Amino acid sequence: KYKGWSVCYHGTQSQFLGSILSHGIFGTQDRTQRFFSPSIVYSSHPRYATPQKLKDGKYIQTVFQCRIDPKVMLKKGTTTGGNHTIIDPNFSKEKQNSEIEWYLDGADIDKYIVYGMMVRISDDPATLPDSHWWSAGAKNRGGSGYRIKWRQEI
């Protein structure tokens, strides 16, 4: 059934892991739009894969690996900023600005499947090489590099 489906990723907060594994990815707003990306780098942005501080001071982030039916997915450009930089070197700037975000606009839960979970533990996600596109911009605007309020210690 899934032959020919495109690999994609969905970043999430750790508090939603159980719900997603049990019930699937719920959409935003009207709960029918589900967002994905062909880029794990993009899906690791703190807006999606919100870092959560562990007791040892490190941070954990979670991204699900999925497959999506390409016949029903819609594509659009980045909504997190980064229009003027390369977010993921696996994608051209043109592709990033036109199709780095994929989404389903409907309630059909059978048009995607969650089949893997990626977990990243780091000292500081903002200092990782793949984070350059979002962490530098936040620092340049006078912030600490973290535009998203990260979840407290677990």
Side-chain angles (χ1 to χ4, degrees), residues 17-148:
L17 297 178
S19 176
I20 289 173
L21 291 171
S22 298
H23 307 291
I25 297 169
F26 287 100
T28 58
Q29 296 136 2
D30 61 5
R31 301 178 59 89
T32 62
Q33 285 189 329
R34 293 168 175 86
F35 289 89
F36 306 88
S37 176
S39 168
I40 194 168
V41 172
Y42 189 80
S43 295
S44 298
H45 185 285
R47 173 188 278 176
Y48 309 119
T50 305
Q52 189 161 2
K53 193 171 189 178
L54 301 171
K55 290 184 190 249
D56 65 1
K58 294 185 183 265
Y59 291 90
I60 187 169
Q61 290 179 279
T62 309
V63 174
F64 284 107
Q65 186 174 19
C66 309
R67 285 197 180 263
I68 188 170
D69 184 346
K71 291 180 254 167
V72 297
M73 74 180 173
L74 301 167
K75 298 177 181 181
K76 65 180 182 174
T78 177
T79 58
T80 60
N83 291 335
H84 306 293
T85 187
I86 296 294
I87 294 170
D88 184 333
N90 295 306
F91 298 88
S92 68
K93 191 182 286 190
E94 292 76 26
K95 281 229 186 235
Q96 290 176 171
N97 290 333
S98 65
E99 55 187 72
I100 197 82
E101 288 190 17
W102 295 352
Y103 65 101
L104 295 175
D105 197 8
D108 295 335
I109 198 166
D110 63 338
K111 301 301 180 189
Y112 73 92
I113 183 171
V114 175
Y115 71 96
M117 185 169 65
M118 316 315 204
V119 175
R120 173 167 74 182
I121 298 175
S122 64
D123 291 327
D124 182 351
T127 62
L128 297 173
D130 284 344
S131 301
H132 72 281
W133 66 278
W134 60 263
S135 63
K139 288 178 185 174
N140 290 340
R141 287 187 291 279
S144 65
Y146 311 115
R147 294 182 58 207
I148 310 297

